[in-house]
Amino acid sequence: MKNLFFILFLTSAIFSQSLFNSFNYKNTSLDVVINPVSIAMGESFVANYFSPSSFIENPANLFQKNNTTLFYHTRSFNWISETETFKYKSVGGTLKLQIGDFGIAYNEFHAGKSLFNSQSDERNSTLIFSLSKLIFKNFNAGVNLKFFDHKRISDLGIGLNLESNTAILLDFGLLYSVFKYSSLKSQHEVTIGTTLQNFGTDYKEKDFIFSNDYRIVRLPRYFKIGFAYNLQFKSNETKNDFQILLTGNYKSLLNPLKKEIGDVDYWGIGTQIQIKEMFLIRIGSIQLPENNLLYDRAKPILRYGFGLNLPLNKFGVEIPLTISADYAFIPINQIEMYNQNGQIIKSKKTLSAAGITIRMNDIFFNEE
């Protein structure tokens, strides 16, 4: 029983879900950014279509320069030894079709069987189908169809299980290229993007620890708006020697409960520098409104990371394919706490995220 209440305390403190439904159910696979590129840049990709998986943050970002992509991302959440199995993951891809651009992603948070939670396996997941279309020149619109659920299975019996219905949700997004200029030596582009997220059916959970009845749990709805500025310096029409990407993002919680009225504003900003089309350095900052063990409320939080692009044709392989590897560092507060055995333990100072992306150009349809 001591283990159970330790688990419930951590769940409430970290995942912003009150046991009595006083808060929205946040920090799940539904709203946590798992893409290491976006994480390193302050989770600010509402207007950035250069990252294939950023349609998860705004479906209009499916406006791709690449015809076909595949990606796999993972974000650690093992902030203390007792949570060593806690992890987010995302796998998916995009495809350019004649009717529009299509994307699919499966996001999951898996608690697994950690040291303090060895008797149960818990996860929540979000399946996303995305479609976007160029409405007219420089203006793209998109929609995400999402399916979210949550379950816990305990080895100690059904009395500790959790089950849910599947919530069916929609995101709506727009992306507009405000300014674009290209010369022999440089190219400039400014885009703005906006999206509404997580509108749909009621989400209900039955947590057998507290009740045998389903109860409605509030899922967060968000409004996002932001910009991206891309500057490229070219040695010729096809080769980029140096590139700078600036992104910014504002996110607002639209359906706060009473205790969340003052905790609705999220901010993020980031910079990426790309050298010789291959080497990337990223730095960003994010500001969160919630009280949380791992982050200070309303304080800018540093993020940073790096990436490597490997176009196979640069190595003599005549295949139109680029493999990208990305990594992000996520600094957190280091805290001390007692574990279930009464010993003092310290949390980590930094978490991480990593990803692999494969871009396959001109496989199905050529861009005009």
Side-chain angles (χ1 to χ4, degrees):
M1 186 60 67
K2 180 174 66 174
N3 290 356
L4 172 61
F5 284 103
F6 184 59
I7 295 168
L8 296 177
F9 166 75
L10 288 179
T11 301
S12 178
I14 299 298
F15 290 93
S16 303
Q17 182 187 22
S18 168
L19 300 180
F20 303 101
N21 201 27
S22 297
F23 300 93
N24 273 278
Y25 187 22
K26 293 181 285 188
N27 297 319
T28 69
S29 62
L30 185 64
D31 64 345
V32 167
V33 174
I34 309 174
N35 178 3
V37 182
S38 181
I39 290 171
M41 296 176 67
E43 302 182 12
S44 58
F45 275 14
V46 71
N48 177 41
Y49 66 87
F50 289 93
S51 180
S53 69
S54 63
F55 70 87
I56 298 174
E57 298 180 56
N58 179 2
N61 284 336
L62 267 173
F63 175 63
Q64 290 285 330
K65 289 187 174 182
N66 305 284
N67 288 337
T68 307
T69 67
L70 299 171
F71 59 84
Y72 175 77
H73 302 146
T74 181
R75 177 173 180 168
S76 67
F77 200 62
N78 55 334
W79 57 285
I80 55 173
S81 58
E82 271 75 358
T83 62
E84 62 179 7
T85 60
F86 284 26
K87 182 189 298 184
Y88 297 91
K89 68 178 181 181
S90 179
V91 60
T94 64
L95 179 64
K96 183 174 290 297
L97 303 173
Q98 291 178 331
I99 61 171
D101 298 298
F102 175 75
I104 184 172
Y106 175 77
N107 296 349
E108 180 183 86
F109 171 75
H110 187 205
K113 295 188 176 183
S114 65
L115 293 180
F116 72 77
N117 190 28
S118 59
Q119 283 80 39
S120 67
D121 189 285
E122 184 167 354
R123 69 185 70 212
N124 61 73
S125 63
T126 306
L127 178 63
I128 305 169
F129 296 96
S130 187
L131 184 67
S132 74
K133 182 71 176 177
L134 188 64
I135 305 302
F136 52 82
K137 186 178 179 180
N138 299 326
F139 183 79
N140 209 58
V143 60
N144 284 341
L145 174 64
K146 305 160 80 168
F147 302 87
F148 175 78
D149 64 13
H150 180 198
K151 64 180 178 181
R152 182 200 310 127
I153 299 175
S154 174
D155 296 339
L156 299 180
I158 193 172
L160 298 180
N161 286 356
L162 181 148
E163 60 187 44
S164 76
N165 71 335
T166 298
I168 302 174
L169 308 168
L170 292 171
D171 299 345
F172 305 94
L174 302 173
L175 182 73
Y176 180 61
S177 180
V178 180
F179 172 80
K180 191 169 185 177
Y181 171 78
S182 183
S183 68
L184 291 177
K185 295 296 183 180
S186 67
Q187 178 174 303
H188 305 257
E189 184 178 17
V190 177
T191 57
I192 57 173
T194 185
T195 185
L196 292 168
Q197 293 184 308
N198 304 332
F199 288 80
T201 64
D202 287 339
Y203 171 68
K204 300 178 181 180
E205 286 186 357
K206 182 193 294 185
D207 192 334
F208 291 91
I209 296 173
F210 302 105
S211 173
N212 290 329
D213 297 321
Y214 278 97
R215 61 185 176 91
I216 292 178
V217 176
R218 180 86 63 99
L219 297 178
R221 295 176 176 175
Y222 296 112
F223 166 75
K224 292 183 180 181
I225 190 168
F227 75 93
Y229 171 59
N230 183 260
L231 170 60
Q232 301 176 20
F233 295 98
K234 303 182 289 185
S235 58
N236 56 56
E237 291 185 1
T238 60
K239 185 176 181 180
N240 298 328
D241 282 340
F242 189 77
Q243 181 175 342
I244 299 174
L245 175 65
L246 303 176
T247 59
N249 195 109
Y250 167 72
K251 181 174 77 171
S252 176
L253 178 65
L254 297 179
N255 60 334
L257 287 156
K258 185 176 181 180
K259 292 185 179 180
E260 299 173 302
I261 294 297
D263 301 335
V264 298
D265 299 319
Y266 302 74
W267 300 88
I269 193 168
T271 303
Q272 173 182 276
I273 297 175
Q274 181 172 330
I275 303 170
K276 294 293 185 181
E277 298 185 354
M278 294 180 62
F279 307 102
L280 302 105
I281 301 171
R282 306 180 180 103
I283 189 169
S285 177
I286 188 170
Q287 185 173 314
L288 307 174
E290 302 102 346
N291 290 307
N292 192 297
L293 288 175
L294 304 185
Y295 305 105
D296 293 327
R297 182 181 185 275
K299 179 180 179 180
I301 304 164
L302 177 68
R303 300 281 178 82
Y304 55 97
F306 59 88
L308 179 65
N309 291 334
L310 298 174
L312 295 190
N313 58 9
K314 302 292 185 182
F315 301 93
V317 181
E318 295 303 319
I319 299 176
L321 186 149
T322 298
I323 300 175
S324 301
D326 300 290
Y327 196 87
F329 297 90
I330 309 170
I332 60 173
N333 293 333
Q334 186 177 47
I335 61 174
E336 292 185 356
M337 61 184 301
Y338 290 95
N339 65 10
Q340 58 181 335
N341 298 318
Q343 300 170 323
I344 296 178
I345 56 175
K346 291 184 178 181
S347 71
K348 294 182 177 182
K349 295 181 179 180
T350 305
L351 300 177
S352 63
I356 295 289
T357 303
I358 300 174
R359 295 173 172 85
M360 296 170 279
N361 299 322
D362 305 319
I363 298 297
F364 295 100
F365 300 102
N366 293 320
E367 290 183 297
E368 297 181 1

